[in-house]
Amino acid sequence: MIYAQIMAGGIGKRMGNVPLPKQFLMLGSKPIIVHTIEKFILHTEFELILVSVPEDWISYTEDILKKHAVTDERLRVISGGAERNDTLDNALKYIEQNKALTDEDLLITHDAVRPFITRRIIEDNIKALEDYDAADTVIAAFDTIVEGKDGEVSNIPVRDLMYQGHTPQSFRINSLKESLSKLSIEKRQELSDSAKIMLLDGKKVKMVDSEVFNIKITTPYDLTIANAILENIH
């Protein structure tokens, strides 16, 4: 079976002085998270679509889904975690408690604040898992990437080998669980990228091509750009 997880566990500190976590801010006539959920509902292959939000915002999320007539029997609003990998782990536990897992089960995870995800990107992630334990959606880096430490440049990698990580990140569930089980609590908290869990366990991760408009809305500037994108696609 194929499961989706829309990750909205954070509060978005880089968005500045706003009254709501960034995933609930308005993009056009609807909250950002609603745009994203609607994209996943269109994909009929998903057995469940888990929406992971801060525990205190579960009722609010359910209310806005009703308000915007987002109804699908596969939707479940569940609690996220303190860190990204905790949010991922909570989704795995939810699936395991409600379904019998097999080696064929897949999880497609996506940032709630990337509302311009396309059907093609989702399908390419699913297809990549036919031959790999994990997939990471990326786009080639346009700018030179500079590594730095303590205010000084420490390395300038070859740009042609550099990519920017987007989402979805996708996994064979049992393989992901196996790799997660080998991490210490400290390592889980340290890792900000779920695909790296697989790499650290020696597993290969397939790159899936993203789109330049599959942006993550993190700052007020990003929200301005997102509104411009929305106007152009309507």
Side-chain angles (χ1 to χ4, degrees):
M1 293 181 179
I2 307 173
Y3 302 92
Q5 181 189 17
I6 297 171
M7 304 186 85
I11 58 174
K13 295 177 182 177
R14 284 175 289 179
M15 188 57 75
N17 186 24
V18 291
L20 301 167
K22 61 186 177 182
Q23 57 268 31
F24 301 118
L25 297 177
M26 297 299 288
L27 173 60
S29 61
K30 294 179 283 193
I32 297 168
I33 193 172
V34 171
H35 288 276
T36 306
I37 292 170
E38 287 176 338
K39 298 291 178 57
F40 278 81
I41 286 174
L42 292 173
H43 202 99
T44 58
E45 287 189 54
F46 290 123
E47 176 75 12
L48 291 176
I49 301 170
L50 306 179
V51 182
S52 301
V53 301
E55 188 169 1
D56 292 344
W57 290 87
I58 290 177
S59 294
Y60 181 87
T61 305
E62 293 171 339
D63 288 344
I64 64 169
L65 292 179
K66 291 177 185 176
K67 178 181 177 181
H68 292 276
V70 181
T71 57
D72 192 294
E73 63 182 9
R74 299 170 298 163
L75 279 174
R76 304 286 189 277
V77 182
I78 66 173
S79 176
E83 303 294 340
R84 186 179 188 87
N85 288 326
D86 298 322
T87 298
L88 177 61
D89 204 30
N90 283 354
L92 294 175
K93 289 175 181 175
Y94 183 92
I95 294 169
E96 195 166 21
Q97 287 166 2
N98 289 275
K99 302 285 182 178
L101 288 178
T102 75
D103 287 342
E104 302 307 310
D105 291 334
L106 313 177
L107 178 64
I108 314 301
T109 71
H110 186 64
D111 295 328
V113 289
R114 291 189 189 271
F116 301 115
I117 178 70
T118 67
R119 173 176 286 276
R120 192 274 302 165
I121 293 174
I122 292 173
E123 289 177 347
D124 284 357
N125 269 263
I126 293 171
K127 185 171 179 57
L129 296 179
E130 293 176 4
D131 300 308
Y132 288 80
D133 287 305
D136 198 3
T137 305
V138 303
I139 193 165
F142 297 116
D143 295 324
T144 297
I145 304 299
V146 177
E147 269 185 64
K149 186 177 181 181
D150 299 327
E152 297 179 355
V153 173
S154 58
N155 187 32
I156 301 178
V158 177
R159 186 176 63 185
D160 289 349
L161 301 178
M162 296 296 107
Y163 295 81
Q164 293 173 250
H166 286 186
T167 61
Q169 290 185 323
S170 303
F171 310 91
R172 288 190 165 272
I173 292 178
N174 280 343
S175 182
L176 173 61
K177 286 181 59 186
E178 177 186 56
S179 296
L180 271 170
S181 70
K182 298 176 183 178
L183 292 180
S184 65
I185 294 174
E186 293 77 13
K187 200 66 176 176
R188 284 193 188 205
Q189 293 173 342
E190 176 187 326
L191 290 174
S192 61
D193 187 281
S194 301
K196 193 169 181 179
I197 296 168
M198 310 297 276
L199 291 175
L200 289 174
D201 196 26
K203 295 173 181 174
K204 293 182 178 180
V205 178
K206 174 67 173 175
M207 290 198 299
V208 171
D209 290 333
S210 190
E211 301 283 358
V212 291
F213 51 78
N214 184 26
I215 65 169
K216 185 176 183 181
I217 303 174
T218 303
T219 67
Y221 176 76
D222 298 331
L223 187 55
T224 299
I225 296 300
N227 275 292
I229 293 172
L230 188 66
E231 287 180 13
N232 282 329
I233 62 177
H234 284 166

